Amino acid sequence: MVTLKINNEQITVPEGITVLEAARKLNIHIPVLCNHDDLCVAGNCRVCVVEQTGSRTLIASCAMPVSEGMDIHTNSMKVRNARKHIVELLLSEHRADCTKCYKNQNCELQTLANEYSFGEHLFLDIVEDHPYVIDRSSPSFIKDDSKCIRCQRCVRTCEELQHVSAIAVANKGSHQKISSFHDRPMSHVVCTNCGQCVNRCPTGALVEKTYIDHVWDAIYDPEKHVVAQTAPAVRVALGEDLGYDPGERVTGKMVSALKHLGFDSVLDTDFTADLTIMEEGTELLTRLKRALVDGDKKISLPMFTSCSPGWIKFVEHRYPEFLPNLSTCKSPQQMFGALAKTFYAQKRGIDPAKVVSVSIMPCTAKKFEADRPEMRSSGFKDVDFVLTTREFAVMIKQAGLDFRSLEPDKYDSIMGDSTGAAVIFGATGGVMEAALRTAYEIVTGREVPFKNLNITPVRGLEGVKEASVKIEGCTGDWKFLEGAVLKVAIANGLTNANKVMKSIRDGKASYHFVEIMACPGGCIGGGGQPIPTNQEIRQKRVDAIYSEDEHMTLRKSHENPEVVAIYKDFLGKPNSHKAHELLHTHYVVRESY
Amino acid sequence: MKNVGLNKLDYIFEKINIREVLEKTYKLPNDKIIKEILDSGLKGRGGAGFPTGMKWKFTAEQKDPDKYIVCNADEGEPGTFKDRELLDRVPYKVYGGMVVAGKAIGAKNGIIYLRGEYRYMLPGLLKELDEFMKIIREIGYEFTIEFRMGSGAYICGEESALFESIEGKRGEPRNKPPYPTVSGVYGKPTSINNVETLVTAILVMRIGAAAYNQLGTKDSRGSKVFSISGDTPIPGIYELELGMTVQEFVNGFGDGDTKAVQVGGASGFCVPRKKFAETIIGFEGVPTGGSMKLFNSSRSMYNVLHNYLDFFVEESCGQCTPCRVGCQQLLKGVQKVKKGEAKSAYLNDLVKLADTMKVASKCGLGQSVGNAFRSIVENFREEIIY
Amino acid sequence: MYQVGNLVKELSARHGRDRASLMPILQGIVEKHNYLTDEAMVEVARELDISAAEVYGTASFYTFLDTVPRGKYVIRVCKTISCSMKGKGEIISTLENILKIRIGQTTSDKQFTLLETNCIGWCHKAPAILINDMPYTELTEEKVIEIIKSYMHK
């Protein structure tokens, strides 16, 4: 233990923590910019500098470990003058476009300027000296170098959390910038569009590409029939942008808000999540049969889930030899889109050309996914516009709705019913759990042997989880699985995905089924979710997901009555020809840079 | 206080029998070597001036058996070219210094980080190294020396940036603590020393700390190699005793019309004529890595300042705000003031900015920009304003 | 443009495949070809199992690891204070005239590139330049012309 003084207040703390962490224990506020709870220490913005008695230079509190007898002052004149200068320097290299900027009022630089340096600019504008580029090439996000303050959070995120490193620090001196491989457009490099960088950027340098105005236009167009689908992870996080604490479930109000905004039909991605389980479960069992019974050596195992478009693009760039292992199932978003303009339009007697399908997602990669050229199984673009949770909150505010006072409402039908198995898709391990609840029952005729159907071994925020399920008491056609031990793995965040892929590729691990989510914590930690994000917030969202699951009447995908109906009336059976046409897809090999 | 005066010496470049020195040192216990260096009062010759004996002592105390001696041959300070001469004329003293340091701290590995601009020297240096390695193997030392090249980045002369470069990364200085003696190259305890420091260590081991102490002053022991250029009839490399005044220096090296001397390169101090007599060249006055630039009255100090700031704007690694943006602000600021596009009072704001850079920058580069800025602006204000 | 071919494999065999091998490998490519093509950087990234953006980010930090095409002979004229005081301006004019290019450009036959650089450690013999690795010092206009002519005849 170490004893030190901060602003004349004494505190004893464990050895090895930083001055910043010690100050926080005393509720002393030190401003930061490059520092982020999820990332390693950088110590480059210098916003957090404080005075240490006896030291000639100021010290960066985020990087300096505490030591016995330290005497720290966080607000001395020397510190205040330095902080003011540092904020002014940052403002001088930042194109301040606040009134028009998407991050207006949610910008950490704005907050700093307001706290430490309002009034006349102290220094000269140097934005004009740099040939800045605004990269709008990606359908998911915009990279605006003129707003970058080079905190490097995005680079550290892409490297540490995602092991993609699509961006890096390039050049030096006044030319130093955050760059892709040789300044190529972001749409032409290994960027997976996961948006984790967008979640952590303190300014408007990285923001999602917004489609709010497109959606308003569609809603107001009397000719168009606008359908909304909502992802599971949205309902446990939307509240954070509307004044609620993290972890509060706002499902009913969310549906009500969508209806008030003017959507013609408010439906649920959870419906197609249930459908995905049917399709993917069948696909898995078919592969297992081909491998174990037919002895087909070419069958690709393990099978990987395919609902995370960030993960898909990651495989396409980095591990193209494993493309055959990906499930051919589309994501629930895309299955929904294909059905909205075929099955749904037919049933409702609406001209599919007039249907506009909008999805509300916790995700930025879904914008890229909707734009993939093969996603036109309906004959039209299956999903027209993807809005992030954040954009949705903006629309609610734009409509002048008092979210808190809305009466909870129910989803419309058809394609609005769902089960608990669907909603847990939002958390890492959820797809696996949903799949097991159904697959186990199909094969053995019994429920999974876990209390309350809660398969706890696959739950939790750790990066990589493994589990094995012994299959006993198989019925009918499934006797070939008798006694088999199904080995599964679950990874969240692409750094962990990479670990799993390496161990599979190097022959160090063998699984049958692997669930991978590109984002830390799964979709609840997605690139489109409310900012800020940290482990504590993600845990609360995860808890809310499982709470939502517990409160649902139906908890297994195969029990969803609308799912039963769509097979009976339209698709035939899982993996049927029609199902393949509309609900399955293929992948492409991409460059390694 | 002893008046040193301008004394040209010849210890550093003197041809010696390195085998004798190394045989003598081989027989000494490690802590005796460290004591000798401590007693000599030798301070780092690269410019930072950290007591060499202390650096070796701290590294020796680390328990990790995997340690490194790194020779900082990334000489990049404008006006400094002494390390090139040392490597050219007495490379075996550099290698010898590394071997002695290695013995003192318990390191078996030595790395010389040579700046890319000196790459043409590499074949010759490797040949010398081959011969040298034969000698030390015969004596019984277990030490290897490898070369790592720089590729054109002044900041890689900063110790932790140098480690980053060896490790294959951008030369961006690290957070300290931990210090190199605890965690240096590859995260291992490292003693990083300037070329001249290692050569001087051999001198100390040869003549002994007591003899070495006869030279220099109490705070600046010994002699130092100076790189002298600019408006002087006799530019070149000279070994001089530390502790002389700038006036004594100018008397010996000026062209009769010296109006300013830049001591320590772009990150050093500009001493104006009126302060020549009162300024000591040494750690108690203006410390220096040895770069001495003389300017006569035909020179525009605005151009000099502009040249230095342009240098820093380019060579800053760019990671920390005060340096990356501060250097650009200082340069643009003086340009605007000179053109009359900003009031001359703006210079006062810039001096305050330079002071912030001095205390808030992450490494010595950003912390030193203010030295030249302040000293030129304060002493030659009339040349900077419109 | 050049074909990087087996060069990366040769260099990694010599220097290893760790992150610390990146500098010697990039330097080895530049030693042979004077600059790094995108193809070369992608090969290095693949060989060392790091991202191409990381390789580019590291290379672009170092002035001598050019990521844009350079000629067979890269001339770097020192522009720091001593050389600046001792006539680097005339040296640059002379070079621009004889090579018919400006600073930053490469001759159309891809033989010479003309650049400025910071202090190369020859301040007492200013003005000085580097042509690839070789320093040339105490330059006058005549000397510069002689040197360039000798390179043109190589």
Side-chain angles (χ1 to χ4, degrees), chain B residues 75-81 84-85 113 115-120 148-153 155-156 161 164-172 186 228-232 235-237 293-296 299 303-305 307-308 310-311 314-318, chain C residues 14-15 18-28 30-31 48 50 53-66 76 79-88 116-126 130 132-135 137-138:
Chain B
E75 171 171 78
E77 190 64 57
T80 318
F81 43 96
R84 183 178 46 68
E85 292 269 324
Y113 185 88
R115 70 183 305 217
E117 292 86 339
Y118 294 168
R119 199 190 178 96
Y120 76 95
R148 290 302 205 107
M149 297 305 300
S151 278
I155 184 60
C156 286
E164 291 285 295
S165 185
I166 291 177
E167 292 176 20
K169 297 178 249 174
R170 295 162 56 84
E172 292 179 341
Y186 305 124
I228 300 172
S229 66
D231 294 320
T232 164
I237 298 286
K293 264 212 243 271
L294 295 100
F295 301 111
N296 65 27
R299 302 300 176 188
N303 284 348
V304 172
L305 178 60
N307 194 284
Y308 288 153
D310 204 39
F311 176 83
E314 265 185 44
E315 296 291 346
S316 163
C317 78
Chain C
R14 202 187 316 159
H15 298 290
D18 300 323
R19 182 57 192 260
S21 321
L22 179 60
M23 283 295 278
I25 292 177
L26 291 175
Q27 286 161 353
V30 168
E31 195 179 5
L48 299 186
I50 54 181
E54 266 294 305
V55 174
Y56 172 72
T58 305
S60 62
F61 178 85
Y62 296 93
T63 307
F64 291 1
L65 298 179
D66 289 302
R76 295 189 205 264
K79 62 175 163 121
T80 313
I81 191 70
S82 289
C83 290
S84 196
M85 281 158 65
K86 296 289 179 183
K88 93 140 168 155
E116 281 181 310
T117 193
N118 282 318
C119 184
I120 57 174
W122 286 96
C123 320
H124 63 321
K125 296 199 174 163
L130 286 169
N132 289 356
D133 287 343
M134 283 311 295
T137 64
E138 289 176 305

Side-chain angles (χ1 to χ4, degrees), chain B residues 229-233 250 254-262 273 276 293-301 304 380 383, chain C residues 85-86:
Chain B
S229 66
D231 294 320
T232 164
V250 168
D255 65 356
D257 185 27
T258 311
K259 92 171 164 181
V261 178
Q262 183 80 13
R273 185 180 291 150
F276 283 173
K293 264 212 243 271
L294 295 100
F295 301 111
N296 65 27
S297 56
S298 76
R299 302 300 176 188
S300 150
M301 296 314 286
V304 172
F380 296 97
E383 294 193 41
Chain C
M85 281 158 65
K86 296 289 179 183

Side-chain angles (χ1 to χ4, degrees), chain B residues 336-354:
Chain B
K336 292 263 173 192
V337 168
K338 186 69 176 167
K339 279 196 254 180
E341 289 169 17
K343 293 203 177 66
S344 69
Y346 185 57
L347 277 181
N348 304 333
D349 293 335
L350 293 178
V351 169
K352 290 205 190 99
L353 171 60

